[in-house]
Amino acid sequence: MIGTILGNRYTLLEELGTGGMAIVYKAHCAYLQRDVAIKVIREEFRGDADLLRRFDSEARAAASLTHPNIVQIYDVGREGNLVYIVMELVDGSSLKELITEHGPMPWAMAVDVMIKIASALQKAHAKKIVHRDIKPQNILMTADGEPKVADFGIARTGKSSMETMKVDTVASVHYASPEQVRGGYTDAQSDLYSAGVTLYEMLTGKLPFPGDNPVSVALRQILDAVPRADAAIPEIPRQLADIVEKCMQKNRADRYEDASMLIADLESVKRNPESIHVDLPIIRREEGLVAAGGLELAEGDFMARPREKHMNMRNRRVFNRRRIIFPLIYVLLIGIIIALVVNIIGFVTRDLNVPLATETPANEAIVGSYVGRDIAEVLVDIEKAKIDPFEIQYRYDANVKSGIVLEQTPLAGSKLVIKGLTTLEIIVSKGQDQVVVPQILNRKRAE
């Protein structure tokens, strides 16, 4: 590809990096006499006409975003079977590279960077564009220390249905919201969850839910409590750790309503860490009621605090719901695992009369029955069976609720070679399709 000329003006000079969907090149624009970055869609995606059509319209929508902290998209084009995006070339490294090389940032610097990232998200969300892959790898840092959010060219518009997610993308699943790994409806607050994970990593130099296995990381995103940034680095102000925790709440209703509210709290904590109170859901510990940030409460202490009056009833509902739901989830998962083990042992001893270890070679896995089951439950089975590779896709289905498996290939009982050529494919329902209702009041009928 080096030396190829695209659109009669862009000469590819060198490869800058590769991703799951595209390869990025440095190129020179002969018309404007400037260097640019060009993202060329990988060959395996070029035959999907529907995906390319949506990709083209969504990239053009993202090109309308003009913001100092967003990598600008200049052009979208095709050259034969090549599909590409022309973008601003950022002279610097990714935020991930800086964290890996230098470790945790001073908290005031991390706040400055996140304010600018949140400002970029605020601009995109105002245009109904959701990024859905916010992570330090997609944030480029200029030589002057300015963050620029990249990959808005493959973001999704608010009404897009192109939400296929490969669970084997370990780099993305570390930052994905619980609803995203479950295949549910994602929106601007899903971006804020990912921003919270990114801020946690900037502050601590670590991921909140580490792991090399994408399935185990996805399960931790759904089930595990949000870790405290100030527990990892005591110098971090408690209020800043509260902000991180609020971004990363499992329930959308407990997160910031929009990026502007996140920016306001970040600016307040920057001026005076003790000047703000961050509303967090209330949970029960053995010694009594405590706020999620660690503030001790008496049993009846639901008196309103500043910016908290409207939260009281919702906090009670969240508190009561979590007392019931989380123990049930754990009991259900344990029961499923026990039932599977008992059934397998019974089958082996009754029908085969051979030790369990001889049923399947070490390099093979048996596909379970996944259709009609919740994807979170299925992910546990897949991890236990060590099935690899596998892929999860999502599609709308008006008759099946979100998160339930619709189809699987190959069928239950099939044997797969671990890390072989055959991929287990699972299709999960996204529930009924939804669209964003536009603002039509006080507009002309023709518009």
Side-chain angles (χ1 to χ4, degrees):
M1 290 290 291
I2 304 301
T4 301
I5 299 177
L6 301 178
N8 294 321
R9 60 189 291 188
Y10 305 111
T11 303
L12 302 186
L13 302 178
E14 62 178 292
E15 183 177 318
L16 297 178
T18 61
M21 191 174 180
I23 302 173
V24 182
Y25 296 91
K26 179 180 179 180
H28 183 74
C29 176
Y31 183 71
L32 295 177
Q33 290 297 307
R34 66 180 177 186
D35 289 338
V36 295
I38 294 188
K39 188 181 293 276
V40 179
I41 304 306
R42 299 177 73 93
E43 185 176 359
E44 54 264 38
F45 295 106
R46 296 174 194 167
D48 190 334
D50 188 48
L51 182 145
L52 292 178
R53 177 184 57 79
R54 293 195 302 266
F55 172 85
D56 187 67
S57 67
E58 291 162 3
R60 293 181 189 278
S64 66
L65 294 174
T66 302
H67 190 279
N69 300 114
I70 294 177
V71 175
Q72 182 67 45
I73 295 177
Y74 297 138
D75 193 10
V76 180
R78 299 194 182 199
E79 188 81 18
N81 69 335
L82 295 179
V83 182
Y84 62 90
I85 301 176
V86 183
M87 305 177 297
E88 171 188 3
L89 179 65
V90 178
D91 182 18
S93 55
S94 72
L95 179 58
K96 183 69 173 182
E97 291 170 331
L98 289 180
I99 295 172
T100 301
E101 183 177 353
H102 299 290
M105 288 184 179
W107 70 262
M109 180 187 298
V111 168
D112 282 337
V113 171
M114 183 49 64
I115 287 174
K116 294 172 181 177
I117 294 171
S119 177
L121 292 177
Q122 182 182 14
K123 178 66 176 283
H125 295 164
K127 289 182 172 284
K128 307 300 182 185
I129 295 176
V130 181
H131 193 289
R132 289 194 175 91
D133 198 19
I134 292 295
K135 57 187 178 184
Q137 293 89 328
N138 284 339
I139 298 168
L140 305 181
M141 302 295 293
T142 68
D144 297 328
E146 286 290 308
K148 284 183 174 283
V149 181
D151 267 359
F152 267 108
I154 55 175
R156 313 289 187 257
T157 58
K159 58 184 179 181
S160 172
S161 61
M162 191 170 77
E163 296 180 19
T164 299
M165 174 185 172
K166 289 188 176 181
V167 178
D168 59 352
T169 53
V170 180
S172 292
V173 78
H174 281 297
Y175 305 90
S177 64
E179 63 269 17
Q180 196 168 358
V181 298
R182 288 179 61 93
Y185 177 75
T186 52
D187 56 13
Q189 285 177 303
S190 304
D191 279 350
L192 295 183
Y193 181 97
S194 301
V197 180
T198 300
L199 179 55
Y200 181 96
E201 188 173 3
M202 282 195 286
L203 291 169
T204 67
K206 301 183 292 186
L207 289 164
F209 302 116
D212 296 326
N213 185 326
V215 179
S216 62
V217 175
L219 286 173
R220 294 189 67 186
Q221 295 281 24
I222 295 171
L223 299 175
D224 282 11
V226 181
R228 294 283 299 177
D230 52 352
I233 307 290
E235 292 77 16
I236 296 172
R238 182 177 64 83
Q239 286 80 358
L240 179 54
D242 287 348
I243 292 174
V244 175
E245 186 169 354
K246 187 173 181 67
C247 288
M248 292 179 59
Q249 288 300 303
K250 310 296 183 185
N251 190 334
R252 274 195 198 85
D254 296 327
R255 299 177 203 155
Y256 286 99
E257 292 181 14
D258 54 45
S260 65
M261 297 180 68
L262 170 59
I263 293 170
D265 274 1
L266 287 171
E267 289 178 338
S268 294
V269 82
K270 179 183 174 182
R271 290 192 298 269
N272 182 2
E274 303 296 329
S275 66
I276 68 167
H277 170 76
V278 179
D279 297 324
L280 291 171
I282 294 175
I283 60 176
R284 180 177 293 277
R285 300 226 180 113
E286 291 182 0
E287 63 273 16
L289 287 174
V290 297
L295 180 64
E296 295 288 342
L297 298 174
E299 184 70 32
D301 185 9
F302 282 92
M303 299 300 292
R305 289 188 290 261
R307 298 179 58 223
E308 191 181 14
K309 293 181 181 180
H310 67 286
M311 297 289 290
N312 290 339
M313 292 306 297
R314 192 180 76 190
N315 281 341
R316 291 189 184 189
R317 289 195 298 270
V318 170
F319 162 63
N320 291 329
R321 186 167 63 247
R322 290 180 176 178
R323 288 183 60 193
I324 299 171
I325 292 176
F326 284 160
L328 286 178
I329 290 175
Y330 285 116
V331 170
L332 177 62
L333 291 176
I334 293 171
I336 291 169
I337 293 172
I338 293 174
L340 285 172
V341 172
V342 170
N343 286 337
I344 292 173
I345 293 174
F347 172 78
V348 172
T349 56
R350 182 180 66 253
D351 297 335
L352 299 181
N353 197 28
V354 293
L356 181 61
T358 65
E359 181 181 21
T360 305
N363 66 334
E364 287 187 353
I366 297 179
V367 177
S369 178
Y370 308 132
V371 176
R373 298 169 59 191
D374 189 279
I375 184 60
E377 176 185 319
V378 169
L379 288 174
V380 174
D381 285 4
I382 291 175
E383 182 181 17
K384 181 177 179 64
K386 299 180 180 179
I387 295 176
D388 183 26
F390 68 92
E391 179 177 321
I392 298 179
Q393 297 184 349
Y394 299 92
R395 77 176 184 212
Y396 291 112
D397 192 304
N399 299 317
V400 180
K401 70 177 183 178
S402 175
I404 300 300
V405 176
L406 297 171
E407 300 174 15
Q408 68 176 82
T409 305
L411 299 177
S414 302
K415 291 184 179 181
L416 292 181
V417 176
I418 298 175
K419 298 189 181 299
L421 298 178
T422 303
T423 300
L424 170 63
E425 297 180 357
I426 297 175
I427 298 177
V428 182
S429 171
K430 291 163 54 178
Q432 191 168 12
D433 195 2
Q434 296 178 317
V435 296
V436 177
V437 179
Q439 174 58 260
I440 61 174
L441 291 177
N442 302 320
R443 295 177 63 185
K444 294 180 179 180
R445 180 176 181 180
E447 295 175 342

